[in-house]
Amino acid sequence: MSTSHSPPPREPATEQISWRSIVRHDLPASLVVFLIAIPLSLGIAAASGAPLIAGLVAAVVGGVVAGALGGSPLQVSGPAAGLTVVVAGLVSQYGWAATAGITCVAGLLQILLGVTRIGRLALSLSPAVVHGMLAGIGITIAVQQLHVVLGGQAQSSLIANLAELPAQLMAHHPASVLVGVLTVVILLVWPRIPRVKAVPAPLVAVVAVTALAAVFMVEVTRVDLPDNPLQELIVPTLPTGSALGLATAVLTVALVASVESLLSAVAVDKLHNGRRTNLDRELIGQGAANAVSGALGGMPVTGVIVRSTANVAAGARSRASTMMHGLWIAAFVLAAGALLELIPMAALAGVLLVTGLRLVQLAHIRTLRRHDELLVYVVTAGGVAALGLAEGVLAGLVLAVGRVLYRLARATVTATEENGVWTVRIQGTLVFLGVASLVRTLRTIPTGAAVRVQLQVDHLDHAAYEAIEDWRRGHVARGGSVEVNRAAFRAALNGDSARPRWLVPWQQRRLVPEPDQRASMLDGIREFEQSADSIRPMMAKLAADGQRPTQLFITCADSRIVPNLITTTGPGEQFCVRNVGNLVPPHGANSSSVDAAVEYAVEVLGVTSIVVCGHSHCGAAAAVLDGSADDGSGLRSWLRHLEPSIRRALALPDIADPATGVRLSPADKLSVANVAVQLENLRSFACVRKAEQEGRLELVGLWFDIGAAAARLVLERDPYLVRADEELATAAAPADR
């Protein structure tokens, strides 16, 4: 393979940027972010009970200060819905001036956290707690803003809002309801309209509804800004109250703002190929922004993912974009603040209503349920919504830690007898806390019996080891026999993975085939049967309910490709087709097996995505290029379907790996082009075309680099590789606040 380098498909983000690049890329991006930030900043301020000007101050300071000093060059900072509940509680308890003072002190604490280099510890929080916190905040915001949409006033808590909701529904505020509902409809429909979704939906909704309300002279409550914003800025004051209460308030603002900013920064890193975020510097930048914002009477500042995503998508290349967006907001407020006063408050409430609901993400719920973390999520979300942010997060953390301790102390020990032989199965994590239960079970085995011990544990400590050894010696001394896997015993004691081989069969085995493959296979089957207790309930449920896979995965028959490993899917989640060369011949091309699989997956199983996965070092591609495929009539006939891919590959320029910059070999280049051709072939199926046109099905091209163990997306129309994580970045990130 050649070692020459080709330029990456996207211009990487970098801090060394020219003025020409700033004008060409950062200036337009800053205008896009500015247009998104205005309605969101006003809506978040209104939902928090803060002066509207405070939300705009936070947007300006977040852009300029955090943009200049932070460690993430492309992250956009400003007021965030994730702190709405916290700020609303502080305003009701201490007043706005004191809340600004708390924000200022919280910023200083963030700077201290960044200087002491413990910023990354914030990422150690359980994802279930973080997503549960955001969901609880989202529910609170949605119910709160529903009152405003209905023409009323939001109450101080979720319970009070729910209690007052029936009376609010009975009240008649048709103008406000019409404005709010129309805003929500535009927010939901606009992103689904082809070719216009690049224009931010919040901007379209607020501008459209404001224009209609002005044209038809609808009587609704509107934004109220001070005539002279600079003179109306509120000077922060020192709050009065108990030292514990004030310390809790400062710590809450600092920690929540820090966690949200760092999570968003990590997500933004996945959107570009440039410099990664310096998390400690980012924490310092966010702290400086909060200190300045609080000193100017502004709201707390955090990094926000949707505005940051829009910044990258609009072509930003440096921190100049986020800084300029803050300057545009300041200029607009000072020069054209009267235009903002035309906006109905119900429109801003509609924006926040949708934003709050989007914090409750079904993808997170499904993932956490799959990993048995849903209870932590529900408790955290319910606690935040019903009790408050600090109380809810604390409840979630206590439950998460308790579950970890329970799992560490939990081991399943069973003793069963069959044909005179007793089998003792020990599963889970066996430490000193479970020794008493272990000994009780072992003592139920009759004296002199033949015993087989099956260890399927992740770890066992010295106390558990001694308990088993003491029992074994005593049982043997009394005439019994004990068979135990000593290697697994030692591995578990030493902290090595003692998981069954069938879970990671390739990890610690030789890559050279065994001399007796049949014996090796049978050994593996026996080990699976002995170790299948942990998945038996899940398989029984799948057997009863049937399969409901979400994806059809079409890949090569190459033994080095493990589809479930690449996609992190389990039983029942993936419908798979494997053949030589990962080919999908056009419909009617005498390939009935592939035709049947595609039609069954789309029409019967209702999969939502079809993935065609090629790979490096492909034997089929190499055989076609070197002519060795002509040796066998069956192989030659099948690989004729690669001819369109060969023509496509010849027409392509050189393709380089986006991570290394190394040019691909001819065979690898062919396998990449082949993925794009197979995606086109899929559309020869009427069921695929129809499902894709209706938005029920997505076609994805993937190329797996075996040597690097890395998956890359393949662009269909002009095939070249892009980083797969660019498309997946927002999946694990909190929604824009």
Side-chain angles (χ1 to χ4, degrees):
M1 183 179 289
S2 173
T3 56
S4 62
H5 293 264
S6 301
R10 294 181 56 181
E11 181 181 346
T14 175
E15 302 226 54
Q16 297 178 351
I17 207 80
S18 66
W19 282 105
R20 181 179 179 181
S21 179
I22 290 175
V23 172
R24 180 181 177 184
H25 300 291
D26 294 312
L27 178 60
S30 70
L31 293 173
V32 172
V33 180
F34 151 70
L35 294 174
I36 298 175
I38 286 286
L40 287 176
S41 299
L42 290 172
I44 291 168
S48 304
L52 297 183
I53 191 65
L56 298 173
V57 168
V60 173
V61 173
V64 176
V65 178
L69 302 180
S72 178
L74 298 184
Q75 174 163 254
V76 179
S77 300
L83 275 167
T84 298
V85 176
V86 177
V87 175
L90 295 178
V91 172
S92 64
Q93 183 174 359
Y94 298 108
W96 177 248
T99 300
I102 291 172
T103 300
C104 188
V105 178
L108 298 177
L109 177 58
Q110 284 182 285
I111 295 175
L112 179 62
L113 293 176
V115 169
T116 53
R117 297 183 178 275
I118 62 173
R120 297 180 186 181
L121 292 179
L123 299 179
S124 300
L125 280 177
S126 165
V129 175
V130 174
H131 295 314
M133 175 190 74
L134 295 175
I137 291 171
I139 294 170
T140 304
I141 293 172
V143 176
Q144 181 189 71
Q145 294 308 302
L146 183 59
H147 280 268
V148 182
V149 169
L150 295 174
Q153 294 291 328
Q155 305 301 311
S156 59
S157 68
L158 176 69
I159 303 300
N161 279 314
L162 290 175
E164 292 293 328
L165 192 56
Q168 197 65 258
L169 291 171
M170 296 299 295
H172 297 288
H173 301 284
S176 178
V177 172
L178 179 62
V179 167
V181 170
L182 183 58
T183 302
V184 172
V185 170
I186 294 175
L187 287 170
L188 297 178
V189 173
W190 185 259
R192 301 178 180 273
I193 302 177
R195 299 183 182 178
V196 300
K197 60 182 180 181
V199 183
L203 175 66
V204 174
V206 171
V207 170
V209 171
T210 300
L212 290 174
V215 169
F216 293 101
M217 295 181 289
V218 178
E219 293 294 330
V220 291
T221 304
R222 302 179 187 272
V223 169
D224 183 18
L225 293 177
D227 296 332
N228 192 333
L230 294 180
Q231 294 182 359
E232 297 294 332
L233 294 177
I234 297 177
V235 178
T237 61
L238 293 176
T240 58
S242 67
L244 179 60
L246 295 176
T248 301
V250 170
L251 191 62
T252 300
V253 173
L255 291 182
V256 174
S258 299
V259 170
E260 291 199 27
S261 297
L262 296 178
L263 288 174
S264 295
V266 171
V268 173
D269 279 349
K270 298 177 181 179
L271 298 173
H272 62 83
N273 297 332
R275 183 176 301 178
R276 307 294 91 179
T277 296
N278 182 324
L279 295 177
D280 294 314
R281 177 180 170 182
E282 179 64 17
L283 204 51
I284 294 173
Q286 294 292 334
N290 272 314
V292 174
S293 181
L296 295 177
M299 294 184 64
V301 170
T302 73
V304 281
I305 185 61
V306 169
R307 276 167 268 181
S308 302
T309 302
N311 189 39
V312 176
R317 292 293 181 267
S318 75
R319 63 181 69 246
S321 174
T322 184
M323 294 171 64
M324 284 191 290
H325 115 275
L327 296 176
W328 302 144
I329 295 175
F332 188 83
V333 171
L334 294 175
L339 292 177
L340 297 178
E341 295 185 329
L342 297 175
I343 301 175
M345 293 298 295
L348 299 180
V351 172
L352 266 294
L353 175 63
V354 174
T355 301
L357 292 177
R358 284 176 175 167
L359 292 179
V360 185
Q361 298 190 32
L362 294 179
H364 292 156
I365 294 175
R366 285 193 291 266
T367 300
L368 294 171
R369 181 180 180 182
R370 201 160 52 238
H371 292 87
D372 196 26
E373 295 288 343
L374 187 59
L375 182 60
V376 176
Y377 175 91
V378 171
V379 168
T380 305
V384 169
L387 304 176
L389 189 136
E391 293 85 351
V393 170
L394 181 61
L397 287 174
V398 169
L399 179 59
V401 172
R403 285 173 61 84
V404 170
L405 294 176
Y406 173 73
R407 288 171 178 171
L408 288 176
R410 181 187 180 188
T412 302
V413 184
T414 60
T416 57
E417 186 269 339
E418 184 176 355
N419 298 327
V421 178
W422 285 78
T423 300
V424 178
R425 290 186 176 88
I426 305 175
Q427 299 173 306
T429 302
L430 186 59
V431 295
F432 67 95
L433 295 174
V435 167
S437 175
L438 168 68
V439 172
R440 282 197 302 270
T441 302
L442 293 176
R443 287 177 177 174
T444 63
I445 299 174
T447 302
V451 182
R452 180 186 298 114
V453 178
Q454 294 183 355
L455 271 177
Q456 301 165 17
V457 297
D458 300 312
H459 172 75
L460 79 130
D461 65 2
H462 196 71
Y465 171 80
E466 285 193 345
I468 297 174
E469 273 293 283
D470 289 345
W471 170 82
R472 186 191 66 82
R473 285 193 295 265
H475 188 76
V476 171
R478 290 187 290 272
S481 65
V482 178
E483 177 187 336
V484 62
N485 187 331
R486 308 295 296 179
F489 206 5
R490 288 191 298 270
L493 181 63
N494 294 331
D496 298 332
S497 174
R499 290 177 293 175
R501 186 182 66 177
W502 56 270
L503 289 179
V504 281
W506 42 269
Q507 203 167 30
Q508 296 180 358
R509 292 168 61 191
R510 292 183 299 171
L511 297 179
V512 179
E514 299 284 349
D516 186 350
Q517 287 291 336
R518 180 174 178 273
S520 176
M521 179 189 69
L522 293 178
D523 288 343
I525 293 173
R526 293 191 190 98
E527 189 168 345
F528 169 81
E529 291 176 345
Q530 294 173 0
S531 310
D533 288 345
S534 59
I535 69 167
R536 189 165 286 114
M538 177 179 64
M539 298 307 296
K541 188 174 187 301
L542 286 173
D545 297 344
Q547 60 170 330
R548 295 189 181 93
T550 59
Q551 62 182 241
L552 167 61
F553 197 85
I554 303 173
T555 190
C556 187
D558 193 297
S559 63
R560 297 166 294 181
I561 304 301
V562 186
N564 296 99
L565 179 69
I566 297 173
T567 57
T568 320
T569 51
E573 296 177 334
Q574 183 183 88
F575 192 65
C576 189
V577 172
R578 304 190 68 157
N579 60 50
V580 175
N582 47 271
L583 296 174
V584 185
H587 186 264
N590 195 24
S591 178
S592 55
S593 176
V594 177
D595 291 3
V598 171
E599 292 172 353
Y600 185 79
V602 176
E603 295 182 338
V604 179
L605 298 178
V607 297
T608 57
S609 64
I610 300 180
V611 181
V612 177
C613 179
H615 64 93
S616 66
H617 307 85
C618 180
V624 168
L625 293 179
D626 64 19
S628 60
D630 295 336
D631 296 339
S633 59
L635 181 62
R636 180 175 65 249
S637 175
W638 175 250
L639 291 184
R640 282 175 180 170
H641 295 299
L642 269 175
E643 292 176 359
S645 301
I646 296 174
R647 293 193 294 271
R648 174 71 68 89
L650 292 175
L652 287 177
D654 289 339
I655 301 175
D657 187 288
T660 65
V662 176
R663 185 184 305 167
L664 299 187
S665 68
D668 284 351
K669 181 180 174 182
L670 172 57
S671 70
V672 172
N674 182 50
V675 171
V677 171
Q678 305 318 308
L679 292 175
E680 294 176 359
N681 290 347
L682 278 168
R683 294 195 176 90
S684 67
F685 293 79
C687 60
V688 173
R689 290 197 306 274
K690 180 180 178 182
E692 188 180 29
Q693 290 169 0
E694 294 176 352
R696 296 184 287 108
L697 181 67
E698 178 186 20
L699 304 186
V700 179
L702 202 66
W703 190 78
F704 186 73
D705 187 335
I706 294 176
R712 318 290 190 199
L713 292 182
V714 176
L715 300 188
E716 181 178 352
R717 296 189 180 278
D718 185 16
Y720 60 85
L721 303 177
V722 296
R723 293 176 63 91
D725 51 11
E726 290 178 17
E727 302 296 329
L728 305 174
T730 58
D736 191 70
R737 268 77 76 195

